[in-house]
Amino acid sequence: MIVLITGASHTGKTLLAQKMLEAHHYPYMSIDHLKMGLIRSGQTSLTPCDDDALTAYLWPIVAEMIKTAIENEQNLIVEGCYIPFDWQDSFEEAYLSQIRYICLVMSEHYINEHFDAIIGHENVIEKRLPDADLTIEHVREDNRYYLQNCRRYGLDYILIDKDYEIEQYCGLE
């Protein structure tokens, strides 16, 4: 099985991938690591700030990696924000039946009530550089974007609105 985990920044994608690895022993790949490897090695002139261009650049590579894992009957968790909303168009039905899509979205209510905790958890798995430009409005806007596009494309999403216990989302049923 392939598990795709996406969502807005700071929603817990990497933490969920880590928890799923621990629970199910599925390896996971961070698209951010692939991105930075390609940028740092000079394989692309894109920068970490080129989000839309990075999605267009990275997704065809990631999609082919997913196909290879499915063909080899391997499990894999792929996490990151560079999964396009039309991701299903990259796969034939035989592949789609082996892929589970998870999009994490925080409600405005949750963000308003827990913004300090959201920021406080940003380094739980990865050691991020501080983002001085990250504001509550940016977090709200980013989550609205994911919610609107999940609805537009008919994609399932997990709406985080009250208590956020990430372990509840680790099942693979």
Side-chain angles (χ1 to χ4, degrees), residues 98-114:
Q98 300 297 312
I99 301 172
R100 178 173 177 212
Y101 175 86
I102 299 172
C103 184
L104 300 174
V105 179
M106 293 178 178
S107 72
E108 289 199 29
H109 169 76
Y110 184 85
I111 295 165
N112 292 339
E113 296 294 317
H114 302 279

Side-chain angles (χ1 to χ4, degrees), residues 16-34:
L16 179 57
Q18 179 67 36
K19 294 291 186 179
M20 291 180 95
L21 174 143
E22 293 168 6
H24 304 287
H25 307 287
Y26 288 15
Y28 78 84
M29 179 190 75
S30 167
I31 301 175
D32 279 341
H33 292 175
L34 175 62

Side-chain angles (χ1 to χ4, degrees), residues 11 103-107 143-144 146-147 150 157-160:
T11 54
C103 184
L104 300 174
V105 179
M106 293 178 178
S107 72
N143 279 273
R144 275 193 299 265
Y146 273 87
L147 181 59
C150 281
Y157 55 91
I158 295 171
L159 184 64
I160 301 155

Side-chain angles (χ1 to χ4, degrees), residues 4 17 62 113 127 141:
L4 302 179
V62 172
E113 296 294 317
K127 302 303 175 216
E141 185 179 304

Side-chain angles (χ1 to χ4, degrees), residues 5-165:
I5 302 173
T6 193
S9 179
H10 291 78
T11 54
K13 298 178 295 292
T14 306
L15 178 59
L16 179 57
Q18 179 67 36
K19 294 291 186 179
M20 291 180 95
L21 174 143
E22 293 168 6
H24 304 287
H25 307 287
Y26 288 15
Y28 78 84
M29 179 190 75
S30 167
I31 301 175
D32 279 341
H33 292 175
L34 175 62
K35 168 190 78 178
M36 292 310 298
L38 291 166
I39 290 170
R40 288 180 171 178
S41 67
Q43 299 299 308
T44 180
S45 60
L46 295 171
T47 72
C49 296
D50 296 323
D51 285 340
D52 291 339
L54 281 165
T55 299
Y57 179 70
L58 294 168
W59 180 247
I61 298 166
V62 172
E64 294 306 317
M65 293 171 73
I66 290 167
K67 289 176 187 177
T68 301
I70 291 170
E71 291 161 359
N72 287 305
E73 299 180 4
Q74 295 173 306
N75 300 313
L76 180 64
I77 300 164
V78 177
E79 68 87 11
C81 61
Y82 302 104
I83 299 171
F85 293 103
D86 63 351
W87 67 270
Q88 294 168 314
D89 294 346
S90 300
F91 303 99
E92 297 170 4
E93 184 56 41
Y95 293 108
L96 288 172
S97 66
Q98 300 297 312
I99 301 172
R100 178 173 177 212
Y101 175 86
I102 299 172
C103 184
L104 300 174
V105 179
M106 293 178 178
S107 72
E108 289 199 29
H109 169 76
Y110 184 85
I111 295 165
N112 292 339
E113 296 294 317
H114 302 279
F115 183 69
D116 289 339
I118 292 166
I119 300 306
H121 285 91
E122 69 184 352
N123 288 316
V124 170
I125 299 297
E126 296 177 319
K127 302 303 175 216
R128 298 176 179 215
L129 296 174
D131 184 354
D133 296 330
L134 186 68
T135 65
I136 192 168
E137 187 50 43
H138 178 264
V139 174
R140 285 185 199 124
E141 185 179 304
D142 204 15
N143 279 273
R144 275 193 299 265
Y145 172 80
Y146 273 87
L147 181 59
Q148 289 168 350
N149 279 291
C150 281
R151 289 176 173 166
R152 177 178 169 208
Y153 285 88
L155 299 171
D156 291 332
Y157 55 91
I158 295 171
L159 184 64
I160 301 155
D161 189 46
K162 294 187 175 39
D163 294 330
Y164 187 13
E165 299 297 328

